[in-house]
Each structure stands twice: as C-alpha cells, then as structure tokens.
C-alpha cells in the first residue's frame, strides 16, 4: 500500500526531492517493481509497472557511486528475471562487481530477490542469510510481506 501511495504522490507532484534523487528514484522503481511482482503472483500482468520500474531504475542509476549503481543493476536484473527475461537478466548480473556489496544488508536482499527470480533456491537462501546476519528485523518483515520469493516458495 505504501508503494502505491508513493507512486500516486510522485505522479501528482511531478517533483523529486532535491536532497537525494538517487534514493527517491530507486524507491519509486522498487514500488513499481513490487506492484509488478504482486500482480504476477496473482497471475495478472501489467507491462506498464515493469516499464516504469525500469525507467526509474535508469534514473537512479545515474548516480555517481559505484555501490549505488551496483544496487540498481541487481534490481534491474531481478526485475528482468521475474519477467522471464533470464538471458538479459544474467547479462546484467554478470557485469556487477559484487565485492562492492559485501557490507550491505539491502544489497544482499536484492541479491536474494535476483536468485529467487532465476529459480536458484540455494543462492537465494545464502543471500537471505547474509542479509539476515546484517539486519535480522528488516529481513523478517520483507520476506513476510514481499512477493520476491513467490517463484521459489514451493521448491
């Protein structure tokens, strides 16, 4: 619900906050990504949410930080994999310098999402465990309410 509200507010105001455009665009991209996953879980499709997520990830990817760019690339790869574009997702994923991401629980969440979207249960669990070690409360909440792991729930 919060994701939908963020999108509505952005569409209404058409203005980004001046302080942190990278995180603003990243969060709007994630909101569209989550809506895409939610609908997919219920066997519905909305290409507009998919395209909007990619658009905002692209805007967030204009960041100067290598870490932030790597995070965005993981999110893009995860989105493409969940849409069934596995070859494109892998091409993006292979270009990411994963050593930049070691200390971030959020980056490990995104890695887990990517691996789940590709059907790699073992790697998804390793990434989730790494994220949990860094931030246990956040991971428990995210796994409980997110649709990122629908593809591997019964595996």
């Amino acid at each position: 619900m919060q994701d939908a509200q963020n999108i509505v507010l952005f569409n209404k105001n058409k203005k980004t906050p001046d302080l942190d455009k990278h995180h603003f665009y990243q969060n709007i991209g994630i909101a569209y990504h989550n809506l895409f996953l939610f609908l997919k879980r219920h066997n519905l499709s909305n290409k507009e949410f998919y395209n909007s997520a990619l658009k905002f990830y692209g805007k967030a990817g204009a960041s100067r930080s290598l870490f932030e760019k790597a995070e965005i690339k993981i999110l893009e790869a995860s989105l493409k994999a969940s849409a069934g574009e596995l070859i494109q997702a892998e091409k993006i994923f292979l270009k990411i310098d994963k050593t930049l991401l070691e200390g971030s629980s959020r980056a490990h969440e995104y890695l887990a999402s990517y691996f789940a979207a590709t059907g790699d249960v073992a790697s998804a669990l390793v990434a989730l465990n790494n994220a949990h070690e860094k931030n246990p409360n956040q991971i428990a909440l995210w796994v409980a309410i997110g649709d990122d792991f629908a593809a591997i729930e019964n595996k």
Side-chain angles (χ1 to χ4, degrees), residues 5 26 31 66 87-88 90 93 99 113 131 139 152 155:
Q5 287 176 325
Q26 179 175 324
L66 293 177
I87 293 171
Q88 289 178 327
E90 184 178 27
F93 185 77
T99 61
S113 175
I139 300 309
I152 62 170
K155 290 188 179 189

Side-chain angles (χ1 to χ4, degrees), residues 84-153:
E85 299 172 8
L86 295 173
I87 293 171
Q88 289 178 327
E90 184 178 27
K91 285 179 183 178
I92 293 168
F93 185 77
L94 291 174
K95 293 179 182 177
I96 300 168
D97 181 358
K98 282 92 173 162
T99 61
L100 296 169
L101 309 170
E102 285 306 311
S104 168
S105 66
R106 190 175 63 222
H108 285 279
E109 291 175 25
Y110 301 159
L111 285 168
S113 175
Y114 169 77
F115 289 126
T118 64
D120 185 347
V121 177
S123 295
L125 291 174
V126 168
L128 270 177
N129 187 54
N130 289 338
H132 183 266
E133 287 175 359
K134 292 167 183 29
N135 192 347
N137 294 332
Q138 179 63 33
I139 300 309
L141 176 64
W142 177 59
V143 170
I145 63 170
D147 292 305
D148 297 87
F149 301 101
I152 62 170
E153 269 182 348

